[in-house]
Amino acid sequence: MKALVYRGAGEKAWQEVPDPVITNATDAIVRIDATTICGTDLHILKGDVPAVTEGRILGHEGVGTVTEIGAAVEGLAVGDRVIISCISACGHCAYCRKQVYSHCLAPEGQSGIGWILGHLIDGTQAEYVRIPYAENSLYKVPATVTDAEAILLSDILPTGHEIGVQAGKVKAGDVVAVIGAGPVGLATIATAGLYGPSRVIAMDLDANRIEQARQFGATDGVLSSDAAWRDQVMALTDGLGVDVAIEAVGIPATFAAALDIVRPGGVVANVGVHGKPVELPIDRLWIANIAITMGLVNTNTTDTLLKLVEQHKLEASLFVTHEFTLDEIEEAYDVFGRAAETKALKVMITA
């Protein structure tokens, strides 16, 4: 088969690789019908994720068709159309029993790390992929849900919902700021609306992204390149600051911005993947009674979000702005990597 292979920082290649095979009784083989590119994949290509070694097939999102199942797999059959979760979970270890699937203790990849696809084992940017712990890592797709909708449930909708909205404790009447209106930030904005905030403020350097954010539920937008950006946020909060500041970029400046606008007693929820340390001015923050959260998605709300997508309570298909075929995946990376120019949100790459 062919797959996109990581060749070291800044290097990748669409090339022939061996077909995946069942190696454990809990595995399944899935033929990829659609995959996509995540901001984390761009971080990998920059060299920000040293655990990804040369020769690794990239990608941790996908929708596909089951072509083979291991002897111990129940509840799935050849021919099933499935969402591939970005988190692989055995379902039996101490963390999985607590629904902390992101730290599954099973040995595949590395014990204690649930994100293994395209990270510690070969991923989904390929014609076929082996899925460990298939019963707990694949979700059947209702016939009425399209690939363009289902692909968003692999990663960004659960990530925005769990690590941004739920961890941020968004509740009815809150003022929420989401810093970074890229795909994960927009997923955070979309799922925040489920909890009834009074305002959702989209913040970004790109005016186009702020405009796009409005169709996902943002009530207000602030261009963070404006010298008066903080004053504009404060003006939307009666001068007190936001109840929840959600960082969805992964650089020190945006984390610092979240700390600058959260009100006493509020929450800063970090969603972005950081490649560098950030400064924490605890000397002024300790007295403000704020909470800071961060984490890797558990995907424990995927089933719930799938129901909301199926009923069009979440319009997931709005995220897909560009479509390519697998043979065009390198072009897809170029378009996604230049999102400010191309206005790309999510790119869907089909077989």
Side-chain angles (χ1 to χ4, degrees):
M1 70 170 187
K2 296 192 80 172
L4 192 77
V5 177
Y6 177 65
R7 289 297 183 194
E11 299 293 333
K12 62 187 182 303
W14 177 248
Q15 65 182 64
E16 293 282 347
V17 297
D19 290 349
V21 296
I22 297 284
T23 58
N24 297 302
T26 52
D27 290 348
I29 304 297
V30 176
R31 184 188 71 236
I32 294 295
D33 297 326
T35 186
T36 186
I37 303 167
C38 180
T40 304
D41 296 319
L42 300 184
H43 279 282
I44 289 170
L45 284 170
K46 290 177 184 175
D48 289 345
V49 188
V52 180
T53 55
E54 290 188 33
R56 177 69 62 232
I57 296 172
L58 296 177
H60 52 267
E61 301 165 271
V63 178
T65 303
V66 176
T67 60
E68 189 178 353
I69 56 173
V73 175
E74 297 181 0
L76 290 170
V78 170
D80 283 345
R81 182 166 162 257
V82 292
I83 296 164
I84 299 167
S85 176
C86 64
I87 298 296
S88 302
C90 73
H92 304 295
C93 71
Y95 279 122
C96 284
R97 287 198 297 270
K98 295 178 181 177
Q99 292 197 321
V100 187
Y101 303 129
S102 58
H103 294 284
C104 175
L105 293 168
E108 184 84 43
Q110 181 179 327
S111 180
I113 297 178
W115 169 42
I116 57 176
L117 290 171
H119 178 208
L120 303 174
I121 69 170
D122 288 337
T124 59
Q125 291 172 7
E127 293 177 319
Y128 291 85
V129 61
R130 178 179 71 90
I131 302 298
Y133 318 120
E135 281 183 37
N136 302 297
S137 306
L138 296 173
Y139 296 80
K140 292 183 183 178
V141 186
T144 55
V145 175
T146 67
D147 287 352
E149 294 168 326
I151 198 77
L152 278 303
L153 290 154
S154 282
D155 184 351
I156 70 166
L157 279 175
T159 294
H161 180 230
E162 296 170 23
I163 308 303
V165 178
Q166 288 192 328
K169 296 181 170 55
V170 174
K171 59 186 183 300
D174 276 354
V175 178
V176 178
V178 178
I179 304 170
V184 172
L186 294 174
T188 305
I189 289 168
T191 54
L194 301 171
Y195 294 79
S198 60
R199 288 185 185 272
V200 178
I201 306 166
M203 297 175 58
D204 202 279
L205 292 169
D206 184 347
N208 174 65
R209 283 283 176 91
I210 291 174
E211 283 307 306
Q212 288 175 318
R214 295 184 187 277
Q215 68 178 323
F216 292 90
T219 58
D220 302 273
V222 171
L223 195 61
S224 47
S225 58
D226 192 314
W229 68 267
R230 186 179 186 277
D231 292 338
Q232 293 173 33
V233 173
M234 289 299 176
L236 295 168
T237 67
D238 298 324
L240 298 176
V242 301
D243 297 286
V244 186
I246 300 174
E247 195 284 336
V249 180
I251 60 173
T254 47
F255 184 77
L259 298 178
D260 279 345
I261 60 174
V262 68
R263 70 176 62 193
V267 180
V268 171
N270 182 87
V271 182
V273 176
H274 288 263
K276 296 179 180 178
V278 300
E279 182 178 342
L280 181 66
I282 198 167
D283 55 320
R284 69 173 176 84
L285 293 175
W286 73 269
I287 204 170
N289 294 74
I290 66 167
I292 300 173
T293 69
M294 63 198 73
L296 175 62
V297 65
N298 287 305
T299 65
N300 60 294
T301 66
T302 301
D303 278 325
T304 298
L305 295 171
L306 177 55
K307 292 175 185 175
L308 294 171
V309 168
E310 184 181 16
Q311 296 301 317
H312 297 283
K313 303 293 185 183
L314 287 171
E315 292 294 349
S317 61
L318 292 174
F319 287 88
V320 176
T321 56
H322 294 71
E323 295 188 29
F324 300 89
T325 63
L326 278 171
D327 284 339
E328 298 170 323
I329 194 167
E330 292 186 275
E331 181 184 349
Y333 261 90
D334 177 63
V335 168
F336 186 67
R338 295 184 297 109
E341 302 169 47
T342 62
K343 297 180 171 52
L345 294 180
K346 290 295 278 185
V347 298
M348 186 167 75
I349 305 163
T350 57

